[in-house]
Structure formats: C-alpha cells, structure tokens
Amino acid sequence: MDRLGPRCPLPGCLRPSVLIGFLILTASFLSYPMFRTLSLRLHSAVTGSYVSGTYSIVFVNCPNEQIARDIARASLDKKLAASVNILPKASSLYFWNGEIEEATEILLLIKTKTSKVHVLSSYIRLVHPFEIPEVFSLPMDQGDVHYFKWLEEGVEED
C-alpha cells in the first residue's frame, strides 16, 4: 500500500487534502473584504484610533446643480454618505466617441465609509443621467479623529 494514501482511480484527480486546502484558500480570498472591515472596526474600537482607509471620498460629476443636489440628498437620506460638498462649475474636457468634448459640470465630494463605496456607486449609476457617470473614490489616509468619529455615526452600518 502507498504510504501517501490511496491512489486516485482517475487520472488528474486531486487528493482530498489538496481539494480541502483549495476550498479553504478560496473561501478566505472571497471573504477578505468582510474580514478586513471587521478587523478595522475591532482595531478602532480597542485602540480608540483611526485606521487609514476606513473612510473614502467619492468624486461624482453631474451635468447641473439640480441633479447634483438630488444625488447628494438621496445619498444622505439612504445613509450611504455622512457629508456631501457640491462644488460649482468645474470645467471638464474629455474624450467621448472619439472626439474631445468640453462641458461645465458640478462636482460632488461625497464622504462615506469605504465599505459603502460599492453600494453608493451602484446607486449613483442607477440614477445618474450620464451613460457612463464619473464615479471614483480615494481612501482617506489621515485626518482628525473627531471628524472620523462623526463620519462613522452619520453612515448606517452594513
């Protein structure tokens, strides 16, 4: 008998230990965002400090002030954001359908939890009038701990 265990009757068959290891690795990889979020919350709760990347600023360009206000207010109402700045008259130049376009747009700076960025982006794509709205985020690296505590309270938990 083989000391390494019984041989697989089919060519190319994985041993159970290899298959179990692969499943554990895959499950760990797929649940990484959830574990990261939980570990960041635990670290902040235990140390009373802020962990870089817990919060993000989401940038969104809108065609006019009314649409910008509607998106800002809805993001706040849905607890997807704690604060939104509306910056008027951003000049934008960009390629669209092979041509250089120029427009005046309104820029939103939306402050939220990094864990909410995906849901917020999906919501904005749903209500935004542009075919491909400009929605991207940057993590907040440093800042006032009191501000981050206020931001935490303003955004609903997952």
Side-chain angles (χ1 to χ4, degrees):
M1 180 148 192
D2 189 353
R3 290 183 182 208
L4 298 176
R7 294 184 187 257
C8 182
L10 302 173
C13 180
L14 292 176
R15 291 187 175 170
S17 61
V18 173
L19 185 58
I20 290 171
F22 175 75
L23 291 174
I24 290 171
L25 183 63
T26 301
S28 298
F29 178 75
L30 293 175
S31 61
Y32 170 75
M34 179 183 66
F35 288 132
R36 182 177 189 281
T37 301
L38 291 174
S39 66
L40 290 175
R41 285 186 190 164
L42 180 61
H43 178 272
S44 292
V46 170
T47 64
S49 65
Y50 163 73
V51 176
S52 179
T54 304
Y55 304 101
S56 291
I57 300 175
V58 178
F59 294 74
V60 180
N61 273 1
C62 296
N64 61 53
E65 190 169 346
Q66 186 59 53
I67 290 170
R69 286 190 181 283
D70 291 347
I71 290 173
R73 187 165 296 280
S75 298
L76 293 166
D77 286 342
K78 294 179 178 302
K79 298 290 187 184
L80 297 174
S83 172
V84 182
N85 296 109
I86 300 174
L87 305 178
K89 299 194 183 204
S91 295
S92 297
L93 285 89
Y94 53 92
F95 276 106
W96 185 251
N97 294 327
E99 300 290 326
I100 296 176
E101 299 287 332
E102 192 168 340
T104 300
E105 298 175 321
I106 308 300
L107 177 62
L108 297 179
L109 301 179
I110 304 173
K111 277 75 76 180
T112 189
K113 290 182 185 176
T114 301
S115 63
K116 291 286 186 180
V117 168
H118 180 72
V119 174
L120 177 62
S121 296
S122 295
Y123 174 73
I124 290 169
R125 277 194 308 276
L126 184 68
V127 299
H128 203 286
F130 288 169
E131 183 179 339
I132 303 173
E134 179 180 336
V135 180
F136 67 92
S137 69
L138 297 174
M140 293 183 196
D141 188 28
Q142 296 180 20
D144 183 73
V145 175
H146 301 289
Y147 176 79
F148 291 132
K149 182 173 174 27
W150 170 83
L151 204 155
E152 177 74 30
E153 293 166 0
V155 181
E156 192 172 85
E157 287 298 316
D158 295 334

